[in-house]
């Protein structure tokens, strides 16, 4: 497959916020979600990832949006199940692991997706 050029927009509405989370585990979450976005954008000409951070009450909200292939309806209720994967490679531990890590921080993860239009993952962290 050809090389995909991906534009990444970072939209920070919250300045200097701190969250209750483990640094290494949080890095794993972002690596996983961004890697999934990159794979969803395979060969797309106007590939974009938009990462937004905002602060609301006692929470910090992060969204990671891509305009990639999206998640088919019949897979949406399975994507946090361990060993489930939409990809031909990989173990499928990714999103189950992400959900598990978020719950150890008393955080939440959810998503919206439209097939062939894109996916947005929403992370909610507790403020420190």
């Amino acid at each position: 497959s050809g090389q995909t050029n991906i534009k990444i927009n970072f939209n920070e509405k919250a300045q200097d916020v701190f969250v209750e989370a483990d640094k290494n585990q949080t890095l794993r979450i972002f690596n996983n979600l961004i890697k999934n976005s990159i794979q969803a954008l395979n060969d797309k000409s106007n590939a974009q990832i938009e990462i937004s951070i905002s602060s609301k009450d006692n929470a910090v909200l992060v969204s990671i949006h891509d305009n990639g292939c999206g998640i088919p309806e019949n897979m949406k209720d399975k994507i946090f199940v361990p060993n489930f994967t939409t990809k031909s490679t990989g173990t499928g531990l990714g999103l189950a692991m992400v959900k598990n890590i978020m719950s150890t921080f008393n955080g939440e993860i959810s998503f919206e997706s439209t097939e062939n239009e894109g996916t947005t993952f929403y992370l909610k962290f507790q403020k420190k």
Side-chain angles (χ1 to χ4, degrees):
S1 72
Q3 180 68 38
T4 303
N5 289 320
I6 300 172
K7 182 177 181 195
I8 297 181
N9 297 315
F10 187 68
N11 186 350
E12 190 181 8
K13 299 183 188 93
Q15 299 291 323
D16 298 333
V17 287
F18 293 90
V19 298
E20 292 281 356
D22 176 86
K23 186 174 83 176
N24 293 332
Q25 298 285 53
T26 304
L27 193 60
R28 287 178 76 181
I29 290 171
F30 285 108
N31 283 342
N32 197 284
L33 292 175
I34 292 168
K35 193 171 86 183
N36 285 354
S37 284
I38 290 168
Q39 287 168 337
L41 290 162
N42 192 20
D43 292 338
K44 191 170 172 111
S45 58
N46 63 335
Q48 283 192 22
I49 297 174
E50 185 148 345
I51 301 168
S52 298
I53 300 177
S54 60
S55 175
K56 185 171 191 261
D57 303 327
N58 60 347
V60 174
L61 309 172
V62 180
S63 69
I64 299 171
H65 172 75
D66 66 68
N67 63 343
C69 58
I71 299 165
E73 276 305 315
N74 64 341
M75 293 184 183
K76 287 184 178 177
D77 59 346
K78 299 188 188 85
I79 69 159
F80 293 119
V81 175
N83 300 321
F84 176 75
T85 181
T86 57
K87 299 186 285 283
S88 52
T89 58
T91 58
L93 286 175
L95 289 167
M97 176 197 75
V98 167
K99 189 177 173 86
N100 194 25
I101 294 171
M102 286 302 292
S103 67
T104 65
F105 302 156
N106 292 318
E108 292 168 30
I109 180 168
S110 59
F111 71 97
E112 288 174 358
S113 186
T114 305
E115 212 170 347
N116 302 317
E117 286 184 24
T119 302
T120 307
F121 276 91
Y122 300 97
L123 300 168
K124 182 178 177 182
F125 293 91
Q126 301 300 316
K127 268 190 202 162
K128 195 170 175 74

